Amino acid sequence: MRIGITSPIVTRLPGAYNEWEATAGIDELTRIAVTADRLRFHHLTCSEHVAVPVPVAEVRGGTYWDPLATLGYLAGRTERIRLATQVLVLGYHHPLEIAKR
C-alpha cells in the first residue's frame, strides 16, 4: 500500500484547514515534507488553480501556491518522498516553461 499526503498550507479549503495554516509558510511546509519523508510516506501533493472567482473561492478556497516552485523547493530538502502535482492547469503555461521547471 502506498500512502501519501496532500500538502497543508498551500491550499486552504474553507472549513477544512486548521487555524495554524493561516499564518504558516514555507518553513512549516518544509518541516512537514521532511517529516513525511522520514516517516516513509510515498508522496506529497500540491495543486494549482489560477484566477479563482470569488464565489468559487468561498467554497473551494482562494489560496493556491505555485505547485512547481513549491515542489521544486521541497525536492531540495527531502530525499525519498515522491512529489506530485495534484492539479496543474497546463493551458496556463507555455510548454517550454513547464519543461524547464
Side-chain angles (χ1 to χ4, degrees):
M1 181 182 310
R2 296 179 179 161
I3 299 174
I5 63 171
T6 300
S7 301
I9 305 165
V10 301
T11 304
R12 292 198 306 261
L13 301 175
Y17 69 91
N18 292 299
E19 286 185 31
W20 65 268
E21 292 182 73
T23 57
I26 193 64
D27 292 335
E28 291 81 4
L29 183 59
T30 301
R31 281 200 304 266
I32 291 165
V34 167
T35 301
D37 188 34
R38 185 174 39 82
L39 293 172
R40 303 262 187 201
F41 277 80
H42 181 261
H43 63 275
L44 180 139
T45 66
C46 184
S47 62
E48 168 184 65
H49 293 285
V50 180
V52 180
V54 173
V56 174
E58 290 170 356
V59 176
R60 297 182 57 190
T63 301
Y64 294 92
W65 291 15
D66 180 296
L68 298 180
T70 302
L71 296 175
Y73 182 85
L74 295 176
R77 278 135 188 91
T78 56
E79 295 179 18
R80 293 175 207 88
I81 195 166
R82 294 172 187 235
L83 304 170
T85 58
Q86 193 170 15
V87 174
L88 183 69
V89 185
L90 292 175
Y92 292 135
H93 303 277
H94 190 281
L96 292 177
E97 175 195 3
I98 295 295
K100 285 181 186 180
R101 294 170 68 193

